[in-house]
Amino acid sequence: MNALRRVAGFVLILLVGAAMLVALHIDSQRDFALARDRYIENSQAASKATAKTVEDALRAIYENVRTLAYLPSVRNLDRHGTNLGDEGRATIQQIYNNLANNVSISEVYFLPLDFDPDRYDPVTGKLEEPILQFDQLIVNARDGTKLDPSKKLTRLDEHSRTRPAEEIETYEYHELAKQLAWLKANYPNSSNVDGLNVPIIGTKELITCDNTDFIHTGDDADRSGFILSVPVFAVDGSLRGSVSAIMLTSALRKLLPNSDYVIVNSSYGFESDQHRLSTSLAAESRSFTAPDPNLIYSEVISLQLNDPRSAWHLWAGFPNSRFEANADAQSVREFEFAGYGAILIVTLLALTCWYVIGRTIAMQASAAETLERRVEERTAEIQHLASHDLLTGLPNRGLLADTMDEALRSLRGSEKLAVHCIDLDRFKPVNDNLGHPVGDELLIAVAKRLKQQAGETAMVARVGGDEFVVLQLLLDGDGQAGALASRVIHALSGEFPIQGHTINIGSSIGIAVFPEDGQDSQSLIRKADLALYKAKAEGRGTYRSFEQGMDARLQKRRQIEAELAVAVADKQFVLHYQPIHDASTSRLTGFEALVRWDHPRLGLLPPSEFIQLAEETGVIQGLGEWIMQQACADAAKWPSNINIAVNLSPAQFKQQSLPLQIASALAASGLAPSRLEFEITESVLLAHNEHTIKTLHSLRELGIGIAMDDFGTGYSSLSYLRSFPFNRIKIDRSFVSLMCESSESRAIVKAVADLGATLGMTTTAEGVETEDQYRLIKEHGCTDVQGWLFGRPMPASEAHALLVAPESQLLSLCGK
């Protein structure tokens, strides 16, 4: 992009931004004008509503006072109101109550036609007053006992119930006299009145007396107000006088919602401007006779009252600041200012983007080259991840299949390809008990050792959790495959130091060779897997090559699996019991329960034929529970000094309900817990966790003994003896069988016996088959012996016969 095009772009962006600002300003002005119109419209509606409220209040006064003027009792009053009956008094009081309570009238008077406030009344001896002050009727009607005695004495004449002369404010009477004079001149009789539409005339604002407070409290406070009067005509139509009502200015102002409104009568010089409250009532005030052109809204609204002398108006005027603070107007302004800001930001962003675009276009050539290189690198990385194991970095199953197919196609002449299927032994307990991070690190270490052993002519792949495959090109015959398998087994049998743990696992390997064992990758892997299964079935830690007939053996195993599940459900098992003797006295102390499968087709099978399969298929749970119940039931029939030992499978030990099952078996059989002992192996103790410890202590709390079986074959037995509550150590038969030939075995047996004595544990030597072995066992301090020298495993019936036999026949029955 050349410089001219870049400058043109900047100018275009600025022009567009300016046009948007102008358009926004025009649109905002229009919206503001609409908001102003809505405000004025709402103000007009509010003003008319206020005018209606004021007009209704004034007309209510007019209608009630007019009603008084037409009452016969009022028309016929004598000079001092002595001829007013109870009925007239009640009617007048009701009308006055309406005026006082509903429209806040202070006082109501009736004036005779010749009323003169400056003339003395010969009857009362005081200055003349109106013929009847209607609110005085209420005073006369109240029970004197309801008033405060002190106030009655100071405020009321107890005899006449009238005000003392000094409290009468006669200037309001003068204003009443002026109104009466005007009525005489303009309405001398009712012929000047159209029906009931009598006139009502007002006055300027003046100081008046609020008798409402006086009636209720006895406290007479001055108030400002104005007088409204209507003429009273006699039956013959002549003017009799007037009825006048005094309304407080404060009551009138209460009809207004705020100081934006003023009630005005310019002829009387009356206005309710609330700003005048703090000034003298005699002060001149400005006229509210026309709208104020300086205000956003101002209007003068006529109030309809039948006043022939003057017109009443409501003046309304709202300040401009109120419109500016209106939410509608503020919203328009806020939107306008926000729009200005947004346009400026967008314009700046557009200028920035245009600048960046220019730089970007200039850098595109080198960036494209860099991007292409990175894409290639990322593609290669993705392809590697798709074809390799994420944990170990070894080829995965997909790459293995592709490599095998390519290798099989490329073999020439006598070249062969060996497939090694490798499965790690004892990996699952490591993963379960030490955690997946330890297991993952162990797999990485295994992969490293496999690659070291495979060399340059073999490929190592990981195809499952702990399953690996090695493809080996055979150049010197089939012997190369066995040699590699041996090296791998030896390498993986060594210790793995992982995160502070010393781990021993081992491996089993199955081998299949092209072309003898298969012509394609799938058949080769399947047959190598069959060979692996045979290696695992024959004791693990070894390798086997594929042989014809392995498929049939696999089918046989699957059949045995199915039959084993049925056998557990049908209880096709029996228990045999092998005697345990005291080493020093040869006295029989107990039996170990050993299970046998009474197979309907194959006969009596030893545990080595089905226990591992039961653990792998999960039926060990039901089988173990049956063994426990049957062993306790049989032992309960023996003498109380004869104990029973039962083996617990690692899988069975993981059950949460194991302590409950044991307690149930003891309760059902009645066997004392102290006569029961469980034998566990180190594989159970690998799970050195809270559940393991809790279960072991639960068994000990029941009074059950716990023995460590096959002691010496693991790799951390001493730490277990210190950490777990054992009371017996069983020395593995592999040490006992070599005691006569190996000094090392004798040393180990003695060390274990001494260790047991030190820790307060008994020691049982397993696999004692000769007198020489028995002699050495006693010499080296073992407390108990077990083996064919003392008796082979026997059915429950034979064990019972052994227990009831005389002591002299005991050794012969045991096999010695």
Side-chain angles (χ1 to χ4, degrees):
M1 179 184 296
N2 56 40
L4 182 60
R5 292 178 61 189
R6 294 183 67 182
V7 171
F10 286 128
V11 172
L12 180 60
I13 291 172
L14 291 173
L15 290 175
V16 171
M20 292 174 66
L21 288 173
V22 172
L24 176 62
H25 177 71
I26 295 172
D27 187 64
S28 298
Q29 291 299 109
R30 184 180 68 252
D31 291 343
F32 194 77
L34 292 175
R36 187 177 185 277
D37 293 342
R38 286 193 297 271
Y39 180 79
I40 294 174
E41 182 180 346
N42 294 335
S43 299
Q44 287 176 334
S47 298
K48 289 179 180 179
T50 302
K52 182 68 166 58
T53 300
V54 176
E55 184 178 289
D56 289 345
L58 293 176
R59 289 192 65 81
I61 296 172
Y62 168 65
E63 290 170 358
N64 280 275
V65 175
R66 182 185 61 184
T67 301
L68 281 172
Y70 277 94
L71 288 176
S73 56
V74 174
R75 285 183 170 187
N76 299 322
L77 278 176
D78 59 22
R79 179 66 186 79
H80 294 93
T82 58
N83 63 338
L84 182 62
D86 291 339
E87 182 178 354
R89 185 186 303 274
T91 303
I92 294 171
Q93 181 174 347
Q94 180 179 359
I95 295 173
Y96 173 75
N97 288 343
N98 288 339
L99 287 167
N101 296 329
N102 297 333
V103 292
S104 299
I105 288 298
S106 171
E107 297 159 332
V108 181
Y109 301 112
F110 174 73
L111 280 76
L113 194 62
D114 59 347
F115 174 66
D116 182 359
D118 295 326
R119 183 174 57 200
Y120 278 91
D121 188 333
V123 177
T124 63
K126 299 186 295 184
L127 290 175
E128 280 191 12
E129 292 183 328
I131 290 178
L132 184 67
Q133 183 177 341
F134 290 134
D135 61 339
Q136 190 64 35
L137 293 174
I138 300 174
V139 176
N140 294 337
R142 291 172 63 91
D143 186 352
T145 60
K146 294 181 181 180
L147 295 175
D148 188 307
S150 62
K151 291 185 178 180
K152 289 194 290 183
L153 292 174
T154 59
R155 295 293 182 178
L156 295 176
D157 183 332
E158 289 296 314
H159 299 288
S160 64
R161 295 280 185 181
T162 59
R163 292 201 222 219
E166 63 273 17
E167 292 192 12
I168 297 176
E169 300 172 2
T170 57
Y171 51 81
E172 64 186 57
Y173 293 163
H174 288 83
E175 195 64 36
L176 289 170
K178 292 178 183 179
Q179 287 184 316
L180 186 58
W182 189 88
L183 290 174
K184 288 180 185 179
N186 292 278
Y187 294 90
N189 54 63
S190 61
S191 61
N192 298 329
V193 177
D194 183 12
L196 296 178
N197 193 24
V198 297
I200 183 168
I201 59 176
T203 65
K204 65 181 179 180
E205 189 174 20
L206 68 155
I207 298 298
T208 183
C209 185
D210 184 1
N211 280 321
T212 302
D213 284 345
F214 174 74
I215 293 169
H216 293 295
T217 68
D219 183 13
D220 195 11
D222 287 342
R223 295 288 187 270
S224 66
F226 59 95
I227 303 172
L228 295 172
S229 298
V230 298
V232 177
F233 298 100
V235 177
D236 61 359
S238 62
L239 184 66
R240 282 273 289 124
S242 66
V243 176
S244 302
I246 300 178
M247 184 176 188
L248 299 179
T249 308
S250 59
L252 191 62
R253 278 197 295 265
K254 289 179 181 178
L255 300 174
L256 305 177
N258 51 50
S259 60
D260 297 332
Y261 300 95
V262 181
I263 301 172
V264 181
N265 191 313
S266 57
S267 298
Y268 296 141
F270 176 84
E271 62 182 35
S272 66
D273 180 17
Q274 297 190 31
H275 297 291
R276 296 176 58 226
L277 291 177
S278 61
T279 63
S280 170
L281 292 176
E284 292 296 330
S285 61
R286 60 187 176 88
S287 174
F288 293 95
T289 57
D292 190 336
N294 297 318
L295 299 179
I296 186 171
Y297 166 75
S298 183
E299 185 177 3
V300 177
I301 303 173
S302 296
L303 303 177
Q304 301 301 318
L305 192 66
N306 194 22
D307 189 338
R309 289 204 301 176
S310 180
W312 291 83
H313 299 90
L314 176 70
W315 181 92
F318 296 173
N320 297 354
S321 59
R322 184 171 301 170
F323 169 67
E324 296 290 342
N326 180 266
D328 202 4
Q330 283 189 340
S331 175
V332 173
R333 289 302 187 202
E334 289 173 0
F335 179 80
E336 180 181 8
F337 294 143
Y340 291 151
I343 291 172
L344 290 175
I345 292 173
V346 170
T347 302
L348 290 175
L349 288 175
L351 293 171
T352 303
C353 291
W354 184 247
Y355 172 76
V356 172
I357 289 171
R359 285 178 55 87
T360 302
I361 293 175
M363 297 169 62
Q364 277 184 343
S366 60
E369 182 180 350
T370 302
L371 179 61
E372 184 177 358
R373 183 176 68 253
R374 291 180 178 176
V375 168
E376 291 175 354
E377 293 172 355
R378 184 58 178 164
T379 301
E381 181 181 352
I382 293 173
Q383 290 176 347
H384 177 82
L385 292 174
S387 60
H388 288 74
D389 176 49
L390 294 178
L391 179 63
T392 62
L394 296 176
N396 59 17
R397 187 183 296 274
L399 182 57
L400 172 67
D402 294 341
T403 303
M404 284 185 67
D405 291 338
E406 184 178 351
L408 292 175
R409 288 193 299 267
S410 62
L411 291 177
R412 297 292 183 268
S414 61
E415 294 178 339
K416 296 183 177 182
L417 185 69
V419 179
H420 301 253
C421 284
I422 304 170
D423 186 78
L424 302 183
D425 299 333
R426 300 184 298 278
F427 175 75
K428 188 176 185 302
V430 174
N431 220 16
D432 292 343
N433 303 322
L434 300 181
H436 288 282
V438 174
D440 290 346
E441 192 169 335
L442 177 60
L443 289 174
I444 294 172
V446 167
K448 183 178 180 180
R449 293 190 187 184
L450 287 175
K451 290 175 68 176
Q452 290 173 348
Q453 299 302 322
E456 300 295 331
T457 60
M459 184 187 85
V460 181
R462 182 186 178 206
V463 296
D466 61 342
E467 300 174 9
F468 297 84
V469 172
V470 176
L471 296 184
Q472 180 188 18
L473 181 62
L474 302 180
L475 301 176
D476 299 325
D478 296 351
Q480 281 184 280
L484 176 58
S486 297
R487 294 198 304 272
V488 168
I489 290 173
H490 178 74
L492 298 184
S493 63
E495 294 180 347
F496 288 86
I498 306 292
Q499 296 186 12
H501 302 279
T502 301
I503 300 175
N504 291 283
I505 48 172
S507 61
S508 301
I509 302 177
I511 304 173
V513 179
F514 172 85
E516 292 92 334
D517 299 330
Q519 300 296 315
D520 56 65
S521 60
Q522 290 185 355
S523 62
L524 286 170
I525 290 179
R526 185 176 66 84
K527 292 180 177 179
D529 199 46
L530 290 173
L532 170 63
Y533 177 75
K534 182 179 180 183
K536 292 168 64 177
E538 293 183 358
R540 303 174 182 264
T542 185
Y543 74 89
R544 290 293 180 268
S545 297
F546 175 76
E547 299 173 357
Q548 296 300 324
M550 284 186 176
D551 281 341
R553 286 194 292 273
L554 178 60
Q555 293 300 325
K556 179 181 177 182
R557 182 182 189 274
R558 290 174 178 170
Q559 182 180 2
I560 292 295
E561 287 180 6
E563 292 175 343
L564 181 60
V566 175
V568 172
D570 295 344
K571 296 183 173 57
Q572 298 175 2
F573 299 92
V574 294
L575 290 183
H576 284 193
Y577 298 94
Q578 185 173 24
I580 302 173
H581 287 255
D582 183 279
S584 60
T585 64
S586 297
R587 181 175 58 84
L588 180 65
T589 60
F591 292 92
E592 179 182 358
L594 301 170
V595 67
R596 301 288 188 267
W597 183 2
D598 190 8
H599 196 284
R601 180 170 50 86
L602 302 176
L604 206 61
L605 300 180
S608 59
E609 295 288 333
F610 61 86
I611 286 296
Q612 182 178 347
L613 188 60
E615 291 177 338
E616 293 175 358
T617 57
V619 299
I620 190 65
Q621 309 292 354
L623 176 57
E625 186 173 0
W626 177 84
I627 293 172
M628 190 185 312
Q629 294 174 348
Q630 188 62 43
C632 290
D634 289 342
K637 302 173 184 176
W638 302 340
S640 59
N641 62 333
I642 303 299
N643 298 330
I644 182 68
V646 179
N647 291 282
L648 275 181
S649 164
Q652 187 181 5
F653 195 85
K654 294 178 181 178
Q655 288 181 281
Q656 296 289 339
S657 60
L658 179 61
L660 184 61
Q661 291 180 7
I662 295 171
S664 176
L666 289 171
S669 64
L671 182 69
S674 60
R675 296 178 57 196
L676 178 62
E677 183 177 84
F678 285 112
E679 298 182 4
I680 61 176
T681 60
E682 290 184 22
S683 57
V684 171
L685 303 176
L686 282 173
H688 189 174
N689 54 32
E690 183 179 352
H691 171 66
T692 303
I693 297 173
K694 183 178 179 180
T695 302
L696 284 171
H697 283 285
S698 297
L699 298 182
R700 287 302 301 270
E701 289 172 2
L702 289 173
I704 298 170
I706 301 174
M708 176 180 280
D709 199 9
D710 300 335
F711 184 81
T713 59
Y715 54 88
S716 57
S717 300
L718 294 179
S719 65
Y720 293 143
L721 291 178
R722 179 173 54 85
S723 304
F724 294 91
F726 294 102
N727 57 355
R728 181 183 298 275
I729 303 172
K730 300 195 73 173
I731 303 173
D732 189 70
R733 67 181 61 248
S734 62
F735 300 110
V736 176
S737 63
L738 297 175
M739 284 187 70
C740 297
E741 297 85 13
S742 170
S743 60
E744 289 84 359
S745 294
R746 291 194 295 275
I748 291 173
V749 171
K750 179 172 176 52
V752 175
D754 292 343
L755 179 64
T758 302
L759 297 177
M761 302 177 186
T762 57
T763 51
T764 301
E766 295 185 294
V768 179
E769 299 180 357
T770 67
E771 290 287 352
D772 290 337
Q773 291 174 353
Y774 177 41
R775 177 178 54 79
L776 290 173
I777 287 296
K778 289 195 294 183
E779 290 176 358
H780 287 78
C782 291
T783 56
D784 294 282
V785 290
Q786 180 181 358
W788 286 3
L789 179 64
F790 297 91
R792 294 173 181 266
M794 61 189 71
S797 59
E798 294 182 15
H800 181 73
L802 182 65
L803 292 170
V804 298
E807 186 70 23
S808 60
Q809 300 178 11
L810 187 57
L811 293 180
S812 61
L813 288 173
C814 288
K816 290 190 67 176

